[in-house]
Amino acid sequence: MTMNKQDMPEISVIIPTYNNGRFINSALESILCQTSPEKKIEIIVVDDGSTDATRDIIEGYRGEITYIYQKNTGVACARNTGLSIARGGIITFLDADDIWYEKRIQRIVESFHNDRDIGMVYHPFEVIDEKGITIHQNFFRTFGYQEHLRGCITRAILSGKLFCGGSSFAFKREIIDKIYPIPEDIRRGIDYYMTVVASCYTKVEYIPDILGKYRMHGSNLTMFAGHENPEELSLVNRDFAHMRQKTVEKIQSMSAFMDKTIDVNIVKRIQAKETIFYSILNGQRVAGIKRIPLLFKGSLSVKDLFNGIAVSFMALFIPSFFYPKLVRVYDHLKRFKIIRFQV
């Protein structure tokens, strides 16, 4: 049976989840409490092979959501699964451990309706801990990211000036269709990949109001992941370097219609840094040192030059067992806005 246009959902919310049973109830309730008409919201939960109580919890929402269980293959595959069945004209993602304010979807939809040229919308969010207690009022301000960026913001995303949290972005369907399918070998940084590529195709709108809560627990925030464990830190840098490569490949494949001012060397320099860190932490210092010239590729700002020199010094002279400590120092400095150094 063909569904009438008026019966189609206006927005599809895709929730990829893996062993987030302790949080997913709060995530789902935050969607069901939205001020937008419920019939206009499609909720798709893609369970990426959870072994906890997620499935039992989801049973309590039968009839209100679409639930898909699949073998554990990663967040990119889970998002692709959700996108393959989503019917909404607007697509947005909610991480299973995050929460939205009740007017979030309404504000997102209004932004798209107010300017038909907008293809991506985002907003800031509060930070809560594992128990739901607020620890930071505004993620962007706390961690030194820029706010109020609108229009063509590709360069800001590429360089890490804007945090690409999955639960804060929404996309028009026609923009998502240009990204889909997401490369499923990307294990970390999928939000960076998606927002960079989407921003190449469209103008972006910023909603200044805080419309959601990002839950910080364990090492789920990637810029802190692996800092206590050299092996994990090595894998984090390897995965991010791979994601940057996929991003560069995608952008370069769009050369016929992309903004010619976009400088992929920004990504290549970050990728070089991550590859150097991975190589040294993996006992391959010589291979890392060979990547140093890539830190200075393209047109450099003063900050780029400083970062390149700093990473070169680390690659040439600092023993690998100091790296996790150095990364922590950089993050604390970044947090207090002394420097901006993306890890």
Side-chain angles (χ1 to χ4, degrees):
M1 182 176 69
T2 302
M3 181 175 288
N4 294 328
K5 187 174 182 179
Q6 60 266 28
D7 295 326
M8 296 288 284
E10 187 165 25
I11 185 167
S12 295
V13 181
I14 299 172
I15 308 178
T17 186
Y18 175 70
N19 286 346
N20 273 307
R22 56 184 172 153
F23 301 127
I24 197 165
N25 180 74
S26 296
L28 288 169
E29 288 298 327
S30 77
I31 303 173
L32 295 173
C33 291
Q34 292 292 308
T35 54
S36 290
E38 187 174 332
K39 67 179 182 179
K40 292 292 187 179
I41 304 173
E42 176 184 48
I43 306 172
I44 301 170
V45 176
V46 182
D47 187 343
D48 194 40
S50 294
T51 57
D52 63 358
T54 294
R55 182 177 292 189
D56 295 333
I57 294 169
I58 294 298
E59 279 294 317
Y61 295 91
R62 184 183 294 274
E64 296 178 287
I65 69 169
T66 298
Y67 176 66
I68 302 172
Y69 183 90
Q70 65 182 31
K71 180 181 178 182
N72 180 240
T73 45
V75 65
C77 180
R79 288 194 181 186
N80 281 338
T81 298
L83 288 171
S84 70
I85 65 169
R87 299 170 297 143
I90 299 171
I91 305 292
T92 190
F93 300 90
L94 175 61
D95 291 341
D97 49 359
D98 293 344
I99 301 170
W100 284 337
Y101 288 2
E102 63 179 10
K103 291 187 177 181
R104 195 266 183 179
I105 290 180
Q106 177 184 335
R107 294 296 305 280
I108 290 289
V109 171
E110 288 172 351
S111 292
F112 282 118
H113 286 177
N114 290 339
D115 187 342
R116 299 294 179 178
D117 292 331
I118 296 298
M120 183 166 74
V121 172
Y122 73 107
H123 57 81
F125 42 93
E126 170 185 344
V127 184
I128 59 175
D129 66 11
E130 195 166 355
K131 296 180 180 179
I133 299 172
T134 300
I135 52 179
H136 302 296
Q137 293 293 336
N138 186 317
F139 185 102
F140 290 172
R141 294 176 189 172
T142 298
F143 294 101
Y145 291 97
Q146 290 190 6
E147 299 183 82
H148 305 286
L149 297 175
R150 292 179 169 87
C152 180
I153 65 171
T154 304
R155 186 179 182 87
I157 303 175
L158 285 173
S159 61
K161 294 179 180 178
L162 176 65
F163 180 72
C164 306
S167 299
S168 69
F169 280 81
F171 309 82
K172 275 188 178 176
R173 182 65 199 230
E174 53 263 38
I175 299 300
I176 281 290
D177 287 343
K178 297 178 185 298
I179 303 172
Y180 176 82
I182 305 163
E184 294 185 357
D185 56 348
I186 295 179
R187 298 186 60 82
R188 287 183 170 96
I190 193 67
D191 296 319
Y192 178 95
Y193 174 89
M194 292 186 67
T195 51
V196 164
V197 176
S199 70
C200 291
Y201 288 101
T202 186
K203 291 198 306 181
V204 180
E205 183 55 73
Y206 173 75
I207 302 173
D209 299 330
I210 293 175
L211 296 174
K213 299 181 181 183
Y214 178 94
R215 192 186 303 271
M216 187 182 294
H217 58 94
S219 294
N220 67 315
L221 184 55
T222 52
M223 66 184 181
F224 293 145
H227 290 190
E228 303 294 338
N229 185 331
E231 291 184 7
E232 177 65 14
L233 184 58
S234 172
L235 294 177
V236 168
N237 280 279
R238 180 201 66 186
D239 292 346
F240 269 93
H242 176 72
M243 177 273 295
R244 310 284 180 195
Q245 181 60 39
K246 302 298 286 192
T247 302
V248 169
E249 291 172 0
K250 179 64 175 179
I251 292 175
Q252 291 178 331
S253 73
M254 298 158 50
S255 60
F257 44 86
M258 65 176 279
D259 183 347
K260 299 299 183 181
T261 65
I262 295 173
D263 182 8
V264 295
N265 287 318
I266 296 172
V267 192
K268 291 180 178 179
R269 289 194 294 269
I270 300 173
Q271 181 192 18
K273 177 207 68 179
E274 291 162 343
T275 303
I276 288 170
F277 284 2
Y278 164 69
S279 298
I280 293 175
L281 287 165
N282 204 37
Q284 300 173 346
R285 183 175 290 271
V286 173
I289 290 173
K290 289 180 179 179
R291 308 282 294 189
I292 287 178
L294 297 176
L295 294 169
F296 304 94
K297 190 176 181 65
S299 177
L300 302 177
S301 66
V302 174
K303 188 187 78 172
D304 294 330
L305 183 61
F306 171 81
N307 285 343
I309 293 172
V311 174
S312 299
F313 180 83
M314 292 173 67
L316 290 167
F317 302 111
I318 303 298
S320 60
F321 60 82
F322 280 124
Y323 272 59
K325 293 181 180 179
L326 285 174
V327 169
R328 285 202 302 275
V329 169
Y330 271 117
D331 282 332
H332 284 300
L333 291 175
K334 173 183 172 182
R335 186 168 178 174
F336 289 102
K337 303 182 182 180
I338 297 174
I339 63 170
R340 287 280 291 120
F341 187 87
Q342 186 185 33
V343 175

